[in-house]
Amino acid sequence: MLRRLAVWRTAAAAGRERPGARSADRCEAVNRQAERLLDDFGDSILRLAYSYLHSIEDAEEVLQDTLLQFLRTAPDLQSPAHEKAWLLRAAANLSKNRLRYNARRRTDQLAEELVAEEREDLSFVWEAVRSLPPGYRETLHLFYQEGYSTGEIARLLGQKETTVCTHLARGREKLRAILGEAYDFDEKV
């Protein structure tokens, strides 16, 4: 929570320092709205970014960059569902951009946290999900972790719903195969 507040304060300060045509009242309203969005959707943004980057530090930077992008554009969003979709789409794009420019780190923060919590029993599942292609990993995350329907995922990612369904099915198959080979699980699980 303290990290989130530090991230927010940095983003809010950057938003206030930006010269522009906005009045002070409008800027303050945007800052309040961004703070509310952080409270409401910050964890979802962080999880999505982490699913791409496999590094909590990089995921926190994507969270901060997402908030900065919100402050810069100040979009007029109609509902909480639109706000969440906008923020997740921006975070996904920023995560993809970061992947292009960053070399992947060799250590996996989540695996280290699981070992620290003595939860090694779950680390093999994370390794299996991590080995999936990005499209499958992203679709599975949005479907199972964030609770989006296939239609919502299609709109969020700018894909056809049939593509999303295919990614879900193939991602599940690949995950079963990986877990079956590496960890001697029954294929019918």
Side-chain angles (χ1 to χ4, degrees):
M1 186 63 164
L2 291 176
R3 272 187 182 167
R4 282 183 34 192
L5 289 175
V7 166
W8 162 244
R9 285 187 183 120
T10 303
R16 274 189 237 117
E17 293 171 353
R18 182 179 174 263
R22 292 187 197 142
S23 68
D25 293 337
R26 173 74 175 140
C27 191
E28 188 63 33
V30 169
N31 287 341
R32 279 194 308 272
Q33 186 178 14
E35 187 172 29
R36 181 187 57 78
L37 292 173
L38 176 66
D39 290 338
D40 293 348
F41 308 119
D43 291 335
S44 295
I45 295 168
L46 198 60
R47 284 192 307 264
L48 178 65
Y50 187 84
S51 75
Y52 278 100
L53 302 168
H54 311 295
S55 165
I56 194 67
E57 291 85 11
D58 287 343
E60 286 173 344
E61 287 182 29
V62 167
L63 172 61
Q64 181 176 350
D65 291 345
T66 302
L67 290 174
L68 286 171
Q69 188 165 346
F70 176 82
L71 289 171
R72 274 187 230 113
T73 60
D76 184 25
L77 304 171
Q78 300 168 354
S79 71
H82 287 116
E83 292 170 343
K84 185 174 183 181
W86 188 95
L87 289 166
L88 289 176
R89 179 68 172 187
N93 289 336
L94 290 167
S95 296
K96 289 174 187 176
N97 290 343
R98 184 169 296 274
L99 280 176
R100 286 188 197 116
Y101 297 109
N102 286 351
R104 285 190 121 175
R105 294 187 176 124
R106 295 290 178 199
T107 60
D108 182 11
Q109 293 285 347
L110 181 60
E112 291 173 9
E113 288 174 15
L114 291 174
V115 170
E117 293 176 11
E118 297 179 11
R119 293 187 59 190
E120 293 178 19
D121 57 322
L122 298 178
S123 64
F124 69 93
V125 176
W126 175 247
E127 289 299 321
V129 170
R130 188 177 146 190
S131 69
L132 293 174
Y136 299 161
R137 189 173 55 233
E138 176 182 42
T139 304
L140 287 170
H141 171 80
L142 290 172
F143 186 79
Y144 288 108
Q145 187 68 31
E146 299 300 328
Y148 281 107
S149 70
T150 55
E152 292 169 330
I153 294 170
R155 284 188 296 279
L156 187 64
L157 299 178
Q159 299 174 342
K160 294 181 181 179
E161 188 170 359
T162 55
T163 302
V164 170
C165 291
T166 301
H167 283 179
L168 276 174
R170 289 182 183 168
R172 289 178 192 132
E173 286 175 25
K174 286 186 177 281
L175 199 55
R176 274 190 208 106
I178 292 167
L179 291 173
E181 289 174 13
Y183 302 103
D184 202 26
F185 283 162
D186 184 9
E187 284 290 318
K188 296 180 183 177
V189 174

